[in-house]
Amino acid sequence: MSAYLGAAALLLSACISRALAADPTLSEKLALLAKAYPEAIAEVGKDTLILRDGGAALPIDDGRQKSHVEKLEAGDIEDSLSQIYPLGLCAKPPAVDFDPGRIRSEAFMKRLYGDSAAHVRRDLVTVDWFGERLRVTSRHGVAKALQAVETELASHPKLKRYLVPSAGTFNWRNIAGARTLSMHSFGAAIDLNTGVADYWRWAGRGKSGTAPYRNRYPLEIVEIFEKHGFIWGGRWYHFDTMHFEYRPELIAIARQAGSSACR
């Protein structure tokens, strides 16, 4: 009887684990999105997000079926939440077009941070980054989160060579080779030392599609950034290992989904 009960308990535990690791529904993802940006999102409606800035409601789904490339070029809010970001101290070569977080709703980002360089600049503040003075947005906790990352990383002096000099934070510009704005435009991203960086365009992946994934950053750095709400471009098929951007909604969704880069 005890053996039977033990087996049953293990089966129940496995079932619970699988249930807990199930992908959140869109409604659950949207609730986590609203929780990540309480100063911006007033309400999640049936088909729209109602923001506190008094502007028009933002459609959650534009109703279009899109390829991966089309999502990158003109993603809506549903598209931006469609891939579950993997957390943890592992870095496996991502599957083709697995780019969690690289798909963004530019309309939403503009409502969060500003729709022009001038508007974003109004909220820029200075953060100390190992003796460098970096300009990032103060909106939605970005500056506080980056300063917390720096404080925690400072207790790991051997990691410093990967962190400085920073390759930049705020820079109102399009993503290289694209017509959409970089997260650097909103002061919500940081690039680390390019001397140890790997980038899909540099590797030739855009030409042949076969360039191997590579990462030279210690994963302790990634884990600390993720702890404070930043996602890592090294998780992408179109990898950009020096790049981190503030996307607390994707971290929260990953945690709820039980998503791990080590599985």
Side-chain angles (χ1 to χ4, degrees), residues 8-247:
L10 286 173
L11 179 61
L12 178 61
S13 175
C15 290
I16 291 171
S17 296
R18 283 196 294 272
L20 290 175
D23 285 358
T25 65
L26 178 59
S27 293
E28 290 170 332
K29 291 177 182 178
L30 291 168
L32 292 170
L33 177 71
K35 188 175 181 179
Y37 303 102
E39 296 176 1
I41 299 174
E43 180 183 348
V44 178
K46 180 181 179 182
D47 301 306
T48 60
L49 285 185
I50 295 89
L51 302 186
R52 299 186 189 279
D53 61 8
L58 276 179
I60 293 167
D61 181 1
D62 61 17
R64 294 172 51 213
Q65 293 294 319
K66 307 185 191 81
S67 67
H68 184 68
V69 170
E70 289 169 335
K71 288 180 180 180
L72 292 172
E73 292 174 344
D76 58 31
I77 291 168
E78 181 183 26
D79 295 331
S80 75
L81 306 176
S82 61
Q83 295 183 332
I84 306 293
Y85 180 87
L87 296 164
L89 278 167
C90 297
K92 298 178 181 179
V96 174
D97 288 342
F98 182 70
D99 290 321
R102 193 166 174 258
I103 300 169
R104 310 175 187 94
S105 166
E106 187 170 298
F108 180 55
M109 292 301 161
K110 286 182 174 179
R111 297 283 288 275
L112 286 179
Y113 298 112
D115 59 5
S116 69
H119 288 167
V120 175
R121 283 194 187 97
R122 294 173 188 169
D123 295 298
L124 294 180
V125 295
T126 300
V127 168
D128 178 71
W129 185 257
F130 300 96
E132 297 180 0
R133 306 294 284 170
L134 303 182
R135 300 284 284 170
V136 296
T137 183
S138 61
R139 301 189 76 170
H140 310 296
V142 175
K144 289 181 180 178
L146 186 60
Q147 194 66 79
V149 170
E150 193 269 352
T151 298
E152 191 162 346
L153 285 171
S155 65
H156 303 273
K158 64 183 179 181
L159 297 178
K160 185 176 179 180
R161 73 183 188 89
Y162 299 96
L163 307 171
V164 293
S166 165
T169 49
F170 170 69
N171 183 7
W172 185 271
R173 61 172 176 80
N174 286 349
I175 298 167
R179 292 176 293 179
T180 51
L181 289 170
S182 163
M183 281 297 287
H184 290 281
S185 299
F186 306 111
I190 181 173
D191 286 343
L192 304 185
N193 183 357
T194 58
V196 287
D198 295 285
Y199 179 47
W200 69 278
R201 288 185 178 275
W202 299 344
R205 175 160 282 182
K207 296 178 181 178
S208 66
T210 58
Y213 172 84
R214 187 183 185 197
N215 168 55
R216 289 175 285 168
Y217 288 100
L219 292 173
E220 296 99 315
I221 294 172
V222 176
E223 185 179 46
I224 290 170
F225 267 100
E226 290 176 347
K227 176 181 175 181
H228 295 284
F230 291 83
I231 64 168
W232 177 44
R235 303 283 191 208
W236 301 338
Y237 174 73
H238 297 88
F239 55 90
D240 186 357
T241 63
M242 65 182 157
H243 179 84
F244 292 86
E245 62 184 70
Y246 188 69
R247 300 289 295 283

